[in-house]
């Protein structure tokens, strides 16, 4: 973190609004640009918060973002059925680049995960008839956004199979959860209602090839321009 950004954060948290205003007003345009760029870089790559990546994913897909941590991540009005609201669940993933010669441990696979999942939650999500939005970033650079219905057969099958392994009786156990129900591109890529919301151009996509699993990269390459 550069010293200017550190001072801005300190003044915001411990000083008065006037002190912060006077500090910022005295800085050059280039300094302010550098401070803002550093702040965005930190925020979008934060391992402990996906808020800004989630916001980008939801809004670029045409939904209004919902900031609450509990519940779905966005909504929009159905254009065909007046008054109907479509909800979405966003699953953004960010990987960091590495220095030359250092093995790449994490790659984008078009996937995501649900934490603390249950049969009850699967039933609720299925009944909501929501859309999934999966997105991938490398160092905060958006690579893709893919939208598909939660009720895609192959996707629901993958989630349900993990629940059945966790709960051998085929039903929830009070106080217990499937800690992580995960999926990847293979679980929805053949869904007929899948939509590519965003993908980098082929020229840019090639730069990030090392950070995307082979089969998924080939899928993105086919739809990129």
């Amino acid at each position: 973190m550069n010293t200017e950004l550190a001072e801005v954060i300190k003044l915001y948290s411990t000083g008065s609004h006037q002190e912060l205003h006077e500090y910022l007003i005295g800085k050059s345009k280039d300094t302010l640009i550098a401070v803002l760029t550093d702040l965005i870089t930190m925020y979008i790559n934060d391992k402990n918060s996906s808020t800004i990546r989630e916001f980008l994913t939801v809004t670029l897909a045409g939904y209004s973002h919902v900031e609450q941590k509990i519940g779905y991540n966005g909504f929009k009005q159905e254009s065909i059925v007046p008054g109907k609201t479509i909800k979405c669940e966003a699953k953004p993933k960010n990987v960091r680049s590495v220095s030359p010669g250092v093995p790449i441990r994490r790659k984008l696979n078009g996937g995501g995960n649900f934490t603390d999942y249950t049969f009850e939650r699967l039933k609720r999500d299925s009944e909501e008839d929501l859309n999934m939005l999966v997105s991938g970033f490398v160092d905060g650079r958006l690579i893709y956004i893919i939208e598909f219905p939660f009720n895609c057969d192959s996707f629901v099958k993958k989630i349900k199979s993990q629940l059945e392994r966790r709960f051998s009786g085929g039903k929830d156990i009070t106080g217990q959860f499937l800690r992580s129900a995960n999926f990847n591109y293979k679980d929805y890529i053949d869904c007929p209602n899948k939509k590519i919301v965003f993908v980098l151009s082929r020229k840019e996509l090639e730069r990030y090839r090392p950070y995307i699993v082979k089969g998924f990269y080939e899928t993105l390459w086919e739809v990129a321009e």
Side-chain angles (χ1 to χ4, degrees), residues 35-46 96 139-140:
V35 167
L36 179 59
T37 300
D38 281 359
L39 181 59
I40 293 173
T41 300
M42 286 176 56
Y43 192 15
I44 204 167
N45 286 297
D46 190 345
R96 301 302 304 270
D139 293 336

Side-chain angles (χ1 to χ4, degrees), residues 170-205:
K171 61 180 181 179
D172 293 333
I173 300 174
T174 302
Q176 295 188 27
F177 307 90
L178 171 61
R179 291 304 177 193
S180 179
N182 60 76
F183 63 91
N184 62 49
Y185 78 99
K186 295 179 181 179
D187 301 310
Y188 61 80
I189 204 64
D190 293 325
C191 180
N193 296 320
K194 168 186 91 273
K195 177 183 177 183
I196 306 298
V197 176
F198 175 89
V199 65
L200 286 178
S201 68
R202 287 187 171 186
K203 181 178 180 180
E204 289 187 277
L205 187 62

Side-chain angles (χ1 to χ4, degrees), residues 53-66 73-75 88-90 133 145:
R53 299 189 294 271
E54 178 186 289
F55 171 80
L56 280 168
T57 301
V58 168
T59 55
L60 288 176
Y63 293 81
S64 296
H65 184 236
V66 176
N73 304 128
F75 68 93
C88 69
E89 178 83 7
L133 296 172
I145 302 174

